[in-house]
Amino acid sequence: MIKLKTPEEIECMRRSGGILRDCLLFLEERVKPGMTTKRLDELAYEYITRHDCKPSFLGYGGFPGTICASIDEVVVHGFPSERRLKEGEILSIDCGLIFKGWQADAARTVAIGETSEEKLKLIEVTRQSFFEGVKQFKEGGRLGDISNAIQTYCESRGYGVVRSMVGHGIGREMHEDPSVPNYGRAGHGVRLERGLVLAIEPMINLGTWETVGTGWDCLTKDKKPSAHYENTVALTSRGAEILTL
Ligand code: MG
Ligand code: MG
């Protein structure tokens, strides 16, 4: 069941979203070659708890971290570890928090030091596809309009759109209805209404869209890199408002 949010509830989510936006900026400024993803995870935990929030990933379904740290061919759900980041890798940092009962969820993919042109392009296409999706997040439209815009933008450029993971509604719970696939048919799916809040999150591969993995692992089938970009977005009287940017 979809839970539409009142303007007052969206105001609360705007606050959680603002803290998460700042947390991700804080992490992006600090990530560098040689750093372990465990250290980055500690920084995220400290930041979130210092701002009177709770990390929403920690313990969720047994997840061991505050962030998901997914390197190169890892699509999402990478566990923070003692593994050191290497120059040239790309890292997706996915993070969620709860402030006064309201969730925010967002992800960024960053290059570790200098990286290849093709990885930089992958990061940029993934990010831009999110904005192509948001352009379709408007009253009277259908969920499939968002999905289709993301898919079309990426596939027309030769990238693979992950099918095994999707975006979601968000509110008091991290994962609410509806599911928000990054592929689909325009004009189909639930009607987009004021008060709908979605985590829109393209997961885009340099090569095939296919993924492999069981349990937490989600890797590209061809071991080529994958990028992730996510924000929590509310549909208000002023249109789509990105709460985590
Ligand atoms: Mg996320
Ligand atoms: Mg999400």
Side-chain angles (χ1 to χ4, degrees):
M1 197 191 70
I2 294 172
K3 293 178 199 138
L4 298 175
K5 278 75 185 178
T6 65
E8 293 72 29
E9 290 173 329
I10 290 176
E11 178 53 31
C12 296
M13 294 191 74
R14 202 173 272 127
R15 288 201 213 114
S16 355
I19 300 168
L20 182 55
R21 167 200 63 213
D22 292 344
C23 175
L24 284 166
L25 283 169
F26 175 84
L27 299 176
E28 282 179 73
E29 281 166 9
R30 280 156 185 81
V31 65
K32 56 175 194 281
M35 187 181 207
T36 67
T37 52
K38 183 108 185 124
R39 179 61 192 141
L40 200 62
D41 188 69
E42 287 163 4
L43 289 173
Y45 181 84
E46 287 160 16
Y47 190 97
I48 288 170
T49 50
R50 189 162 10 106
H51 288 80
D52 300 320
C53 299
K54 266 177 53 183
S56 41
F57 295 1
L58 191 60
Y60 185 89
F63 189 78
T66 294
I67 59 169
C68 297
S70 308
I71 302 167
D72 283 348
E73 74 277 10
V74 182
V75 178
V76 287
H77 301 158
F79 286 13
S81 75
E82 297 297 344
R83 151 93 154 73
R84 290 182 189 280
L85 293 164
K86 297 187 201 101
E87 178 102 15
E89 290 177 332
I90 60 173
L91 170 71
S92 94
I93 308 169
D94 191 353
C95 192
L97 59 77
I98 310 164
F99 180 65
K100 296 191 171 159
W102 292 94
Q103 300 264 354
D105 186 7
R108 309 284 182 255
T109 299
V110 295
I112 306 305
E114 299 250 331
T115 191
S116 67
E117 202 57 46
E118 77 179 353
K119 283 181 173 176
L120 289 176
K121 186 83 192 303
L122 169 67
I123 293 173
E124 181 48 30
V125 165
T126 304
R127 183 181 160 281
Q128 189 55 41
S129 74
F130 163 85
F131 290 99
E132 296 300 317
V134 168
K135 279 185 205 162
Q136 301 303 321
F137 191 15
K138 49 192 183 198
E139 277 185 79
R142 299 282 192 152
L143 189 69
D145 302 347
I146 300 174
S147 306
N148 185 261
I150 295 170
Q151 179 178 21
T152 304
Y153 185 83
C154 296
E155 289 185 348
S156 66
R157 285 161 179 78
Y159 294 86
V161 175
V162 171
R163 308 288 202 274
S164 57
M165 304 283 164
V166 296
H168 48 92
I170 180 167
R172 286 200 176 274
E173 303 296 327
M174 179 160 56
H175 295 124
E176 295 185 357
D177 286 336
S179 289
V180 185
N182 298 304
Y183 56 92
R185 289 157 73 195
H188 287 74
V190 301
R191 203 171 283 286
L192 303 174
E193 290 180 77
R194 198 180 294 185
L196 188 58
V197 185
L198 303 175
I200 300 176
E201 48 179 317
M203 289 154 265
I204 307 301
N205 300 343
L206 186 63
T208 178
W209 59 271
E210 289 176 281
T211 56
V212 289
T214 51
W216 286 107
D217 289 339
C218 182
L219 316 169
T220 58
K221 194 177 176 190
D222 57 11
K223 300 292 180 277
K224 289 187 180 173
S226 182
H228 185 200
Y229 186 79
E230 176 182 28
N231 284 296
T232 299
V233 191
L235 192 50
T236 73
S237 58
R238 289 170 307 188
E241 185 188 342
I242 304 172
L243 305 180
T244 46
L245 199 61

